[in-house]
Amino acid sequence: MLTGPYYPRSFTILVIVAMGVLIVPLASGLINAVHVLQGVADTQRQFTRTSLAITRDVRQIAESVSQLQRTAGQYHLLQDAEFAPALRTRYDELQTLLARLDGELVDAPARTTLDAFGTRSRTLYRQLQPGAFLDSARFNALDPVFDALHGDARSLLAEADAAVQSELQALEATVQATRQRLIVLALALIPLTLLLAAVFSWMINRPIKQLKASIQQLGQADLRPLQAISGPQDIVELGREIDWLRQRLQALEEQKLRFLRHVSHELKTPLASLREGVALLGDELAGSLNARQRSIVAIMDSASRDLQKRIEDLIRYSGMMRDATLRPAAPHALADVLAGALARQRLALDARGFQVETQLNAPTVHCDRSQLETVLDNLLSNAIKFSPEGGHILVKSEPLDAAVAVWVCDQGEGIPEAERSRVFEPFFQGARQPASTVKGSGLGLSIVRESLLAAGGSIEVVDCPPWSTCFRLTWPMPQ
């Protein structure tokens, strides 16, 4: 169990790194989006300021031409020298506006009109500048020049509006391109983030799933070596602890099986002597017996037989635990094997007045005959033990997909829902024990389960009204 080269030493660090890596593309995308949007906003503000300034200055130029014409008329027609400063001021204001527009306008047609307007206004002012008064005829002769300036101002206004519209379209194109860029960025970040999330999810879930599989394996009493766990160092250490627990359980299981084998074999010898002595007493080889003595001998014989069955169950169970290999299977007629099992249980069936109903729709089971006999003997014995006097027992079979299912049902008190998952555990005794029978060893159903597992089948408790307790067994069919 080694730490992978791509794993940090701690699971906590792995989670923190995963969160950090997932945040990086999202944060970078957000920062980039903010930067782009800030640039668009700055461009929009600059465009707004420039367009407003151009429009204002162009409109002021038209007004300034009118004021220059009016002031020049007051100066020359009235021949009043007091208007000389005002004439110079109007001309200076006009030149200031032209100079400001010269730095604002970038459109070629508008700049051409602006240059022509500046040349015409300077030429006109050389004729109007204070110094020598013009008479009425000479001043009126300059009207076409003023009209040309007004025309240039109107042309300049129209061209400035066209330039503003062109800039507005360019800004809209920029905004659209920015929107598309942000959409592409978002579409690129989504799969990248999902990919990173999938990678880190795999890195986080992989050791957890391995731990879960190891725990489930132990929970199923499977003590084979566990799957190697790769991941952060603390998870690997936890995997080592689970493997240490498996080894301890395996050692305890081996000790338990050794104990069962030793106890079973140690008990068989004195039990054989005891049964032989009871048989000699029953045969009256040691002298004749009265009725009370025969009753005592019968009780001793029954108790020794029950003890022998328990010892045989222990030996059989320990043998299954030691050797769970799949035995050679062959097709067997279920009716024949069931008839043999019923014959072995005939005394108990007749003594308590039981009736056995059979519905064998799948007549053949592919299995080891001894395992099938063991399964039926234990289930019939269990049904006889837990059913009321004069009850019915059902044994039926049905073909399934690639399997044969067999049901053994009785009319006892049933198995509580809370105990159904435990009835197949060795030595488990349910809460509902019949008072009229001797308490069993708790190995019968465990032997049935191990026999079926060794054959590749399964057993479970199912609801099958009107029967109170029903075991369903499945044997796989040969492929």
Side-chain angles (χ1 to χ4, degrees):
M1 298 183 182
L2 301 176
T3 303
Y6 40 83
Y7 278 106
R9 294 186 60 83
S10 170
F11 188 79
T12 303
I13 295 177
L14 174 60
V15 174
I16 294 175
V17 170
M19 295 177 62
V21 172
L22 290 177
I23 289 174
V24 167
L26 296 177
S28 62
L30 180 61
I31 293 173
N32 187 42
V34 170
H35 177 71
V36 171
L37 292 176
Q38 183 65 40
V40 172
D42 292 342
T43 302
Q44 185 176 13
R45 284 195 295 270
Q46 181 63 34
F47 166 76
T48 302
R49 287 195 297 265
T50 303
S51 60
L52 290 176
I54 291 174
T55 303
R56 183 191 61 244
D57 291 344
V58 169
R59 294 185 183 278
Q60 287 181 354
I61 283 178
E63 181 65 24
S64 181
V65 171
S66 298
Q67 291 178 356
L68 178 62
Q69 185 177 7
R70 186 168 50 255
T71 304
Q74 291 172 342
Y75 175 76
H76 289 285
L77 294 179
L78 297 178
Q79 296 187 359
D80 187 350
E82 293 181 358
F83 288 100
L87 180 58
R88 294 191 186 93
T89 300
R90 296 291 179 266
Y91 176 73
D92 292 340
E93 290 176 353
L94 179 60
Q95 296 303 312
T96 300
L97 290 173
L98 293 175
R100 194 157 59 196
L101 275 175
D102 186 62
E104 295 171 347
L105 289 175
V106 295
D107 186 63
R111 291 191 62 84
T112 301
T113 303
L114 181 65
D115 293 340
F117 186 95
T119 302
R120 188 175 285 111
S121 64
R122 287 189 293 272
T123 302
L124 177 62
Y125 183 70
R126 283 196 293 269
Q127 300 178 35
L128 295 176
Q129 62 183 346
F133 294 109
L134 299 177
D135 56 21
S136 177
R138 292 172 59 192
F139 182 78
N140 291 332
L142 297 176
D143 287 342
V145 180
F146 281 107
D147 293 339
L149 287 177
H150 284 293
D152 289 343
R154 288 191 296 271
S155 299
L156 192 59
L157 180 60
E159 292 167 355
D161 288 340
V164 169
Q165 291 298 324
S166 177
E167 290 292 329
L168 179 60
Q169 293 175 357
L171 179 61
E172 291 177 350
T174 302
V175 171
Q176 183 65 26
T178 302
R179 183 185 297 112
Q180 294 177 354
R181 176 183 174 186
L182 292 178
I183 292 174
V184 171
L185 178 62
L187 293 177
L189 285 177
I190 290 174
L192 175 61
T193 304
L194 292 177
L195 177 61
L196 292 174
V199 170
F200 281 102
S201 176
W202 175 80
M203 294 180 66
I204 292 173
N205 289 328
R206 182 188 182 195
I208 294 177
K209 289 181 178 179
Q210 292 173 343
L211 287 176
K212 181 180 178 181
S214 298
I215 294 173
Q216 288 178 340
Q217 179 178 334
L218 292 182
Q220 295 171 356
D222 185 354
L223 300 180
R224 292 175 299 176
L226 300 175
Q227 176 187 5
I229 296 178
S230 59
Q233 186 63 35
D234 47 3
I235 300 295
V236 173
E237 292 294 335
L238 181 58
R240 293 196 183 103
E241 294 295 328
I242 295 177
D243 189 65
W244 172 83
L245 177 61
R246 178 194 65 81
Q247 296 175 10
R248 290 290 299 158
L249 291 174
Q250 188 175 32
L252 291 174
E253 185 69 17
E254 292 174 354
Q255 292 175 9
K256 182 186 74 173
L257 294 178
R258 284 198 300 270
F259 174 76
L260 290 176
R261 290 196 299 272
H262 292 163
V263 169
S264 301
H265 288 287
E266 289 295 329
L267 290 177
K268 285 187 68 177
T269 300
L271 178 60
S273 299
L274 178 61
R275 291 207 59 192
E276 184 178 355
V278 171
L280 292 175
L281 290 175
D283 294 338
E284 298 185 352
L285 295 179
S288 60
L289 302 176
N290 57 34
R292 182 174 180 82
Q293 290 171 337
R294 289 193 187 92
S295 175
I296 294 173
V297 170
I299 293 174
M300 294 173 62
D301 183 65
S302 176
S304 64
R305 289 178 183 275
D306 181 68
L307 181 58
Q308 182 179 6
K309 183 179 183 305
R310 297 193 183 193
I311 292 174
E312 290 173 352
D313 286 344
L314 285 173
I315 294 175
R316 186 182 296 111
Y317 181 74
S318 62
M320 289 180 178
M321 292 293 97
R322 184 174 61 255
D323 183 15
T325 57
L326 185 62
R327 299 182 183 181
H332 295 284
L334 182 57
D336 294 342
V337 181
L338 179 59
L342 291 175
R344 289 187 290 274
Q345 303 287 341
R346 180 53 56 190
L347 289 177
L349 290 170
D350 293 342
R352 302 189 63 189
F354 282 105
Q355 294 184 9
V356 179
E357 177 184 351
T358 59
Q359 300 175 9
L360 306 181
N361 296 323
T364 303
V365 177
H366 197 86
C367 64
D368 175 68
R369 185 182 181 91
S370 63
Q371 287 182 333
L372 180 58
E373 291 175 345
T374 299
V375 167
L376 292 178
D377 281 337
N378 280 280
L379 289 179
L380 288 173
S381 176
N382 186 79
I384 294 171
K385 177 181 177 181
F386 287 93
S387 295
E389 296 282 346
H392 285 70
I393 298 175
L394 171 67
V395 180
K396 70 174 184 176
S397 63
E398 296 285 349
L400 298 178
D401 293 338
V404 171
V406 177
W407 285 263
V408 179
C409 308
D410 60 60
Q411 295 176 322
E413 296 184 11
I415 302 175
E417 191 71 30
E419 295 182 359
R420 291 189 176 186
S421 61
R422 300 192 60 198
V423 292
F424 302 106
E425 296 178 3
F427 309 108
F428 176 77
Q429 300 285 345
R432 298 175 180 175
Q433 293 293 323
S436 59
T437 58
V438 179
K439 190 174 182 180
S441 63
L443 285 174
L445 293 179
S446 300
I447 292 173
V448 172
R449 183 186 66 173
E450 295 303 325
S451 298
L452 284 164
L453 291 178
S458 63
I459 182 173
E460 59 181 335
V461 181
V462 296
D463 294 321
C464 190
W467 306 94
S468 57
T469 303
C470 201
F471 294 95
R472 185 177 70 177
L473 306 84
T474 58
W475 276 275
M477 295 293 291
Q479 301 296 324

